[in-house]
Amino acid sequence: AQAFLPQFHVETSTESASKLYGMEAKKLALRLTKLGLIVGAGIACIASSIPKLMPFILTNDGMVQRAVRPLALPLFLGSLLTAPVAVSEGVLLARRELKYLASVYVLSTVLFPFGLFRLKVSGAPVSHVWYGFVFFQLFRALCFTGKLWGGVAVERIASLLGSKKKAESSSVTA
């Protein structure tokens, strides 16, 4: 996204050109996100199928093969979440939202080790560490995609609710 979006985030002399570039940037960001999710889902399926269906590729040891099978689901989820993180992070970089990105980086970097330490102290199985990575990616995905499309989603939901309320109030008064 950093490579494709900067030309849409330039200063323009007219308001109509700014709106046009802004709309094109949003369209491109949405296309990149969809493409990222499709590619990410494919990669996640392939990567997670190895420990689940073909652990012998990783090792000949039967005990290790049995131990890696439960890691397939968190591997799939973490891999899948990497796509929206990478794409939305690139869009935010192109938009020069550096303070926001830095705050998310710092917050996630500070919180994640504490979560891993708590897992270690509790004696949780290795799969919980992998789920920790999933939550790490989920946190970043929600922060980054929420920054990009959270406002639009809230506006659409509010307009749908407003439309329902208007329809209900007009049917009550009629």
Side-chain angles (χ1 to χ4, degrees):
Q2 302 102 290
F4 299 110
L5 282 174
Q7 70 263 25
F8 292 112
H9 291 286
V10 295
E11 294 294 321
T12 57
S13 57
T14 65
E15 189 175 321
S16 63
S18 291
K19 282 185 180 182
L20 176 65
Y21 282 136
M23 288 173 36
E24 289 299 317
K26 285 181 183 179
K27 287 180 191 176
L28 180 58
L30 189 57
R31 277 185 291 195
L32 289 171
T33 301
K34 288 177 183 177
L35 179 63
L37 283 171
I38 291 167
V39 171
I43 291 170
C45 286
I46 292 168
S48 64
S49 70
I50 293 172
K52 185 69 174 178
L53 305 173
M54 302 173 280
F56 56 86
I57 291 175
L58 302 172
T59 182
N60 292 329
D61 187 327
M63 189 167 77
V64 175
Q65 288 178 2
R66 285 186 297 281
V68 297
R69 278 200 171 99
L71 303 180
L73 180 59
L75 178 60
F76 173 80
L77 295 172
S79 299
L80 182 63
L81 288 169
T82 299
V85 168
V87 173
S88 57
E89 182 179 44
V91 172
L92 291 169
L93 281 168
R95 288 174 38 177
R96 304 286 191 260
E97 302 264 357
L98 303 178
K99 287 182 182 178
Y100 181 78
L101 284 167
S103 67
V104 172
Y105 292 152
V106 167
L107 186 59
S108 61
T109 302
V110 167
L111 293 178
F112 186 61
F114 287 112
L116 288 179
F117 184 71
R118 289 193 50 90
L119 285 174
K120 179 184 176 191
V121 169
S122 72
V126 173
S127 63
H128 288 158
V129 174
W130 284 76
Y131 281 108
F133 287 111
V134 171
F135 285 114
F136 175 78
Q137 284 295 78
L138 180 62
F139 172 77
R140 292 177 68 197
L142 290 173
C143 288
F144 295 158
T145 58
K147 177 73 170 169
L148 294 174
W149 291 290
V152 173
V154 169
E155 287 175 10
R156 285 188 181 169
I157 291 169
S159 70
L160 288 173
L161 292 176
S163 299
K164 285 184 180 180
K165 286 183 181 177
K166 286 180 186 176
E168 289 171 0
S169 65
S170 63
S171 66
V172 170
T173 57

